[in-house]
Amino acid sequence: MVILRNDNSRRTFWKLAKVEMLLPSSDGTVRSAKVMVNGESGKRITLRRPIQYLIPLEVQASATDDSRVQSRADQQNTEIKDNDQLQRRTPRRKAAVVGEIVRRQLSS
């Protein structure tokens, strides 16, 4: 997965694309790639773009079965809802913590 750099638009409007094939030049160096991107009408379009215009995204894992991934996500959401004592993985602002404590005291 890559982001397609476009000099004619702002970064927030650059498109997301999937690299289909790397295209080596006559000397064997990869200088361009074929990428699949969603067009304006929603159709998928295959484009050929130079490597300099492709910004790679960091992808941690790939799934072969979307239903298995979805069921795992549903299971994790259920576990989080069931466990009020679960520690958050991201730090919270002090105001958010105080607000949550006040809400809990008011609701009980």
PDB file of all heavy atoms in Angstrom, residues 81-103:
ATOM      1  N   LYS A  81     -15.386  -4.231  26.820  1.00  0.00           N
ATOM      2  CA  LYS A  81     -16.610  -3.766  27.461  1.00  0.00           C
ATOM      3  C   LYS A  81     -16.839  -4.489  28.782  1.00  0.00           C
ATOM      4  O   LYS A  81     -17.344  -3.907  29.740  1.00  0.00           O
ATOM      5  CB  LYS A  81     -17.808  -3.990  26.535  1.00  0.00           C
ATOM      6  CG  LYS A  81     -17.815  -3.062  25.344  1.00  0.00           C
ATOM      7  CD  LYS A  81     -18.966  -3.377  24.419  1.00  0.00           C
ATOM      8  CE  LYS A  81     -18.904  -2.525  23.171  1.00  0.00           C
ATOM      9  NZ  LYS A  81     -19.935  -2.879  22.204  1.00  0.00           N
ATOM     10  N   ASP A  82     -16.495  -5.782  28.854  1.00  0.00           N
ATOM     11  CA  ASP A  82     -16.719  -6.566  30.060  1.00  0.00           C
ATOM     12  C   ASP A  82     -15.742  -6.212  31.178  1.00  0.00           C
ATOM     13  O   ASP A  82     -16.039  -6.378  32.345  1.00  0.00           O
ATOM     14  CB  ASP A  82     -16.599  -8.070  29.754  1.00  0.00           C
ATOM     15  CG  ASP A  82     -17.738  -8.566  28.892  1.00  0.00           C
ATOM     16  OD1 ASP A  82     -18.776  -7.859  28.817  1.00  0.00           O
ATOM     17  OD2 ASP A  82     -17.603  -9.640  28.295  1.00  0.00           O
ATOM     18  N   ASN A  83     -14.594  -5.721  30.846  1.00  0.00           N
ATOM     19  CA  ASN A  83     -13.559  -5.487  31.847  1.00  0.00           C
ATOM     20  C   ASN A  83     -13.375  -3.994  32.071  1.00  0.00           C
ATOM     21  O   ASN A  83     -12.720  -3.306  31.312  1.00  0.00           O
ATOM     22  CB  ASN A  83     -12.246  -6.128  31.373  1.00  0.00           C
ATOM     23  CG  ASN A  83     -11.182  -6.088  32.433  1.00  0.00           C
ATOM     24  OD1 ASN A  83     -11.411  -5.591  33.529  1.00  0.00           O
ATOM     25  ND2 ASN A  83     -10.022  -6.605  32.123  1.00  0.00           N
ATOM     26  N   ASP A  84     -13.975  -3.464  33.148  1.00  0.00           N
ATOM     27  CA  ASP A  84     -13.858  -2.033  33.447  1.00  0.00           C
ATOM     28  C   ASP A  84     -12.473  -1.665  33.966  1.00  0.00           C
ATOM     29  O   ASP A  84     -12.075  -0.507  33.915  1.00  0.00           O
ATOM     30  CB  ASP A  84     -14.893  -1.611  34.489  1.00  0.00           C
ATOM     31  CG  ASP A  84     -16.292  -1.584  33.911  1.00  0.00           C
ATOM     32  OD1 ASP A  84     -16.403  -1.449  32.677  1.00  0.00           O
ATOM     33  OD2 ASP A  84     -17.251  -1.709  34.687  1.00  0.00           O
ATOM     34  N   GLN A  85     -11.740  -2.641  34.480  1.00  0.00           N
ATOM     35  CA  GLN A  85     -10.437  -2.368  35.061  1.00  0.00           C
ATOM     36  C   GLN A  85      -9.303  -2.449  34.043  1.00  0.00           C
ATOM     37  O   GLN A  85      -8.142  -2.328  34.390  1.00  0.00           O
ATOM     38  CB  GLN A  85     -10.152  -3.379  36.196  1.00  0.00           C
ATOM     39  CG  GLN A  85     -11.172  -3.351  37.309  1.00  0.00           C
ATOM     40  CD  GLN A  85     -11.231  -1.978  37.966  1.00  0.00           C
ATOM     41  OE1 GLN A  85     -10.221  -1.311  38.099  1.00  0.00           O
ATOM     42  NE2 GLN A  85     -12.427  -1.563  38.360  1.00  0.00           N
ATOM     43  N   LEU A  86      -9.640  -2.625  32.757  1.00  0.00           N
ATOM     44  CA  LEU A  86      -8.627  -2.734  31.717  1.00  0.00           C
ATOM     45  C   LEU A  86      -7.857  -1.425  31.585  1.00  0.00           C
ATOM     46  O   LEU A  86      -8.438  -0.356  31.502  1.00  0.00           O
ATOM     47  CB  LEU A  86      -9.294  -3.064  30.370  1.00  0.00           C
ATOM     48  CG  LEU A  86      -8.356  -3.282  29.194  1.00  0.00           C
ATOM     49  CD1 LEU A  86      -7.511  -4.524  29.422  1.00  0.00           C
ATOM     50  CD2 LEU A  86      -9.141  -3.421  27.912  1.00  0.00           C
ATOM     51  N   GLN A  87      -6.554  -1.514  31.621  1.00  0.00           N
ATOM     52  CA  GLN A  87      -5.739  -0.316  31.517  1.00  0.00           C
ATOM     53  C   GLN A  87      -5.682   0.135  30.064  1.00  0.00           C
ATOM     54  O   GLN A  87      -5.598  -0.670  29.152  1.00  0.00           O
ATOM     55  CB  GLN A  87      -4.319  -0.590  32.008  1.00  0.00           C
ATOM     56  CG  GLN A  87      -4.245  -0.852  33.481  1.00  0.00           C
ATOM     57  CD  GLN A  87      -2.806  -1.069  33.901  1.00  0.00           C
ATOM     58  OE1 GLN A  87      -1.906  -1.103  33.083  1.00  0.00           O
ATOM     59  NE2 GLN A  87      -2.600  -1.208  35.189  1.00  0.00           N
ATOM     60  N   ARG A  88      -5.746   1.450  29.885  1.00  0.00           N
ATOM     61  CA  ARG A  88      -5.669   1.997  28.535  1.00  0.00           C
ATOM     62  C   ARG A  88      -4.226   1.948  28.046  1.00  0.00           C
ATOM     63  O   ARG A  88      -3.298   2.118  28.816  1.00  0.00           O
ATOM     64  CB  ARG A  88      -6.182   3.426  28.531  1.00  0.00           C
ATOM     65  CG  ARG A  88      -7.653   3.507  28.873  1.00  0.00           C
ATOM     66  CD  ARG A  88      -8.100   4.940  28.899  1.00  0.00           C
ATOM     67  NE  ARG A  88      -7.948   5.592  27.610  1.00  0.00           N
ATOM     68  CZ  ARG A  88      -8.879   5.595  26.661  1.00  0.00           C
ATOM     69  NH1 ARG A  88     -10.008   4.962  26.866  1.00  0.00           N
ATOM     70  NH2 ARG A  88      -8.685   6.223  25.534  1.00  0.00           N
ATOM     71  N   ARG A  89      -4.067   1.754  26.755  1.00  0.00           N
ATOM     72  CA  ARG A  89      -2.731   1.684  26.176  1.00  0.00           C
ATOM     73  C   ARG A  89      -2.183   3.060  25.834  1.00  0.00           C
ATOM     74  O   ARG A  89      -0.997   3.233  25.670  1.00  0.00           O
ATOM     75  CB  ARG A  89      -2.762   0.821  24.922  1.00  0.00           C
ATOM     76  CG  ARG A  89      -3.090  -0.613  25.235  1.00  0.00           C
ATOM     77  CD  ARG A  89      -3.076  -1.454  24.014  1.00  0.00           C
ATOM     78  NE  ARG A  89      -3.470  -2.812  24.377  1.00  0.00           N
ATOM     79  CZ  ARG A  89      -3.618  -3.777  23.538  1.00  0.00           C
ATOM     80  NH1 ARG A  89      -3.433  -3.572  22.268  1.00  0.00           N
ATOM     81  NH2 ARG A  89      -3.983  -4.980  23.950  1.00  0.00           N
ATOM     82  N   THR A  90      -3.066   4.035  25.699  1.00  0.00           N
ATOM     83  CA  THR A  90      -2.609   5.383  25.386  1.00  0.00           C
ATOM     84  C   THR A  90      -2.776   6.271  26.604  1.00  0.00           C
ATOM     85  O   THR A  90      -3.733   6.115  27.361  1.00  0.00           O
ATOM     86  CB  THR A  90      -3.418   5.982  24.222  1.00  0.00           C
ATOM     87  OG1 THR A  90      -4.797   5.972  24.563  1.00  0.00           O
ATOM     88  CG2 THR A  90      -3.221   5.174  22.949  1.00  0.00           C
ATOM     89  N   PRO A  91      -1.870   7.199  26.831  1.00  0.00           N
ATOM     90  CA  PRO A  91      -2.004   8.081  27.992  1.00  0.00           C
ATOM     91  C   PRO A  91      -3.220   8.992  27.834  1.00  0.00           C
ATOM     92  O   PRO A  91      -3.584   9.379  26.731  1.00  0.00           O
ATOM     93  CB  PRO A  91      -0.713   8.882  27.990  1.00  0.00           C
ATOM     94  CG  PRO A  91      -0.160   8.751  26.633  1.00  0.00           C
ATOM     95  CD  PRO A  91      -0.677   7.474  26.066  1.00  0.00           C
ATOM     96  N   ARG A  92      -3.864   9.313  28.952  1.00  0.00           N
ATOM     97  CA  ARG A  92      -5.037  10.175  28.940  1.00  0.00           C
ATOM     98  C   ARG A  92      -4.722  11.471  29.651  1.00  0.00           C
ATOM     99  O   ARG A  92      -3.942  11.513  30.597  1.00  0.00           O
ATOM    100  CB  ARG A  92      -6.198   9.469  29.636  1.00  0.00           C
ATOM    101  CG  ARG A  92      -6.616   8.217  28.891  1.00  0.00           C
ATOM    102  CD  ARG A  92      -7.705   7.493  29.591  1.00  0.00           C
ATOM    103  NE  ARG A  92      -8.911   8.304  29.613  1.00  0.00           N
ATOM    104  CZ  ARG A  92      -9.935   8.061  30.400  1.00  0.00           C
ATOM    105  NH1 ARG A  92      -9.894   7.048  31.233  1.00  0.00           N
ATOM    106  NH2 ARG A  92     -10.996   8.824  30.370  1.00  0.00           N
ATOM    107  N   ARG A  93      -5.371  12.517  29.183  1.00  0.00           N
ATOM    108  CA  ARG A  93      -5.186  13.809  29.836  1.00  0.00           C
ATOM    109  C   ARG A  93      -5.845  13.773  31.205  1.00  0.00           C
ATOM    110  O   ARG A  93      -6.816  13.055  31.443  1.00  0.00           O
ATOM    111  CB  ARG A  93      -5.816  14.917  29.011  1.00  0.00           C
ATOM    112  CG  ARG A  93      -5.157  15.121  27.687  1.00  0.00           C
ATOM    113  CD  ARG A  93      -5.768  16.263  26.960  1.00  0.00           C
ATOM    114  NE  ARG A  93      -7.211  16.289  27.194  1.00  0.00           N
ATOM    115  CZ  ARG A  93      -8.025  17.212  26.749  1.00  0.00           C
ATOM    116  NH1 ARG A  93      -7.571  18.193  26.059  1.00  0.00           N
ATOM    117  NH2 ARG A  93      -9.319  17.166  26.989  1.00  0.00           N
ATOM    118  N   LYS A  94      -5.323  14.552  32.111  1.00  0.00           N
ATOM    119  CA  LYS A  94      -5.837  14.601  33.470  1.00  0.00           C
ATOM    120  C   LYS A  94      -7.307  15.033  33.474  1.00  0.00           C
ATOM    121  O   LYS A  94      -8.118  14.483  34.222  1.00  0.00           O
ATOM    122  CB  LYS A  94      -5.006  15.572  34.315  1.00  0.00           C
ATOM    123  CG  LYS A  94      -5.397  15.604  35.757  1.00  0.00           C
ATOM    124  CD  LYS A  94      -4.473  16.523  36.536  1.00  0.00           C
ATOM    125  CE  LYS A  94      -4.867  16.556  37.995  1.00  0.00           C
ATOM    126  NZ  LYS A  94      -4.001  17.457  38.756  1.00  0.00           N
ATOM    127  N   ALA A  95      -7.682  15.985  32.620  1.00  0.00           N
ATOM    128  CA  ALA A  95      -9.069  16.452  32.557  1.00  0.00           C
ATOM    129  C   ALA A  95     -10.014  15.326  32.143  1.00  0.00           C
ATOM    130  O   ALA A  95     -11.131  15.227  32.653  1.00  0.00           O
ATOM    131  CB  ALA A  95      -9.187  17.615  31.585  1.00  0.00           C
ATOM    132  N   ALA A  96      -9.584  14.447  31.251  1.00  0.00           N
ATOM    133  CA  ALA A  96     -10.420  13.332  30.823  1.00  0.00           C
ATOM    134  C   ALA A  96     -10.632  12.339  31.963  1.00  0.00           C
ATOM    135  O   ALA A  96     -11.733  11.812  32.152  1.00  0.00           O
ATOM    136  CB  ALA A  96      -9.802  12.629  29.619  1.00  0.00           C
ATOM    137  N   VAL A  97      -9.581  12.089  32.725  1.00  0.00           N
ATOM    138  CA  VAL A  97      -9.682  11.165  33.862  1.00  0.00           C
ATOM    139  C   VAL A  97     -10.624  11.729  34.919  1.00  0.00           C
ATOM    140  O   VAL A  97     -11.509  11.025  35.424  1.00  0.00           O
ATOM    141  CB  VAL A  97      -8.281  10.891  34.458  1.00  0.00           C
ATOM    142  CG1 VAL A  97      -8.385  10.065  35.728  1.00  0.00           C
ATOM    143  CG2 VAL A  97      -7.396  10.204  33.437  1.00  0.00           C
ATOM    144  N   VAL A  98     -10.470  13.007  35.244  1.00  0.00           N
ATOM    145  CA  VAL A  98     -11.328  13.645  36.241  1.00  0.00           C
ATOM    146  C   VAL A  98     -12.780  13.639  35.762  1.00  0.00           C
ATOM    147  O   VAL A  98     -13.702  13.342  36.531  1.00  0.00           O
ATOM    148  CB  VAL A  98     -10.846  15.087  36.534  1.00  0.00           C
ATOM    149  CG1 VAL A  98     -11.852  15.845  37.388  1.00  0.00           C
ATOM    150  CG2 VAL A  98      -9.484  15.049  37.208  1.00  0.00           C
ATOM    151  N   GLY A  99     -13.012  13.936  34.489  1.00  0.00           N
ATOM    152  CA  GLY A  99     -14.365  13.934  33.941  1.00  0.00           C
ATOM    153  C   GLY A  99     -15.017  12.568  34.031  1.00  0.00           C
ATOM    154  O   GLY A  99     -16.204  12.455  34.357  1.00  0.00           O
ATOM    155  N   GLU A 100     -14.255  11.517  33.775  1.00  0.00           N
ATOM    156  CA  GLU A 100     -14.797  10.161  33.864  1.00  0.00           C
ATOM    157  C   GLU A 100     -15.160   9.819  35.303  1.00  0.00           C
ATOM    158  O   GLU A 100     -16.207   9.216  35.570  1.00  0.00           O
ATOM    159  CB  GLU A 100     -13.785   9.157  33.317  1.00  0.00           C
ATOM    160  CG  GLU A 100     -14.308   7.739  33.276  1.00  0.00           C
ATOM    161  CD  GLU A 100     -13.322   6.781  32.661  1.00  0.00           C
ATOM    162  OE1 GLU A 100     -12.439   7.210  31.898  1.00  0.00           O
ATOM    163  OE2 GLU A 100     -13.443   5.579  32.954  1.00  0.00           O
ATOM    164  N   ILE A 101     -14.336  10.207  36.253  1.00  0.00           N
ATOM    165  CA  ILE A 101     -14.621   9.940  37.670  1.00  0.00           C
ATOM    166  C   ILE A 101     -15.895  10.672  38.094  1.00  0.00           C
ATOM    167  O   ILE A 101     -16.762  10.109  38.770  1.00  0.00           O
ATOM    168  CB  ILE A 101     -13.401  10.352  38.552  1.00  0.00           C
ATOM    169  CG1 ILE A 101     -12.230   9.428  38.266  1.00  0.00           C
ATOM    170  CG2 ILE A 101     -13.781  10.340  40.028  1.00  0.00           C
ATOM    171  CD1 ILE A 101     -10.933   9.888  38.897  1.00  0.00           C
ATOM    172  N   VAL A 102     -16.041  11.920  37.685  1.00  0.00           N
ATOM    173  CA  VAL A 102     -17.240  12.699  38.037  1.00  0.00           C
ATOM    174  C   VAL A 102     -18.474  12.064  37.417  1.00  0.00           C
ATOM    175  O   VAL A 102     -19.513  11.933  38.078  1.00  0.00           O
ATOM    176  CB  VAL A 102     -17.065  14.171  37.577  1.00  0.00           C
ATOM    177  CG1 VAL A 102     -18.377  14.937  37.681  1.00  0.00           C
ATOM    178  CG2 VAL A 102     -15.979  14.856  38.378  1.00  0.00           C
ATOM    179  N   ARG A 103     -18.407  11.633  36.162  1.00  0.00           N
ATOM    180  CA  ARG A 103     -19.552  10.994  35.501  1.00  0.00           C
ATOM    181  C   ARG A 103     -19.964   9.721  36.236  1.00  0.00           C
ATOM    182  O   ARG A 103     -21.140   9.433  36.402  1.00  0.00           O
ATOM    183  CB  ARG A 103     -19.228  10.674  34.058  1.00  0.00           C
ATOM    184  CG  ARG A 103     -19.442  11.831  33.110  1.00  0.00           C
ATOM    185  CD  ARG A 103     -19.393  11.378  31.668  1.00  0.00           C
ATOM    186  NE  ARG A 103     -18.139  10.740  31.285  1.00  0.00           N
ATOM    187  CZ  ARG A 103     -17.038  11.402  30.928  1.00  0.00           C
ATOM    188  NH1 ARG A 103     -17.040  12.714  30.916  1.00  0.00           N
ATOM    189  NH2 ARG A 103     -15.949  10.757  30.588  1.00  0.00           N
TER     190      ARG A 103
END
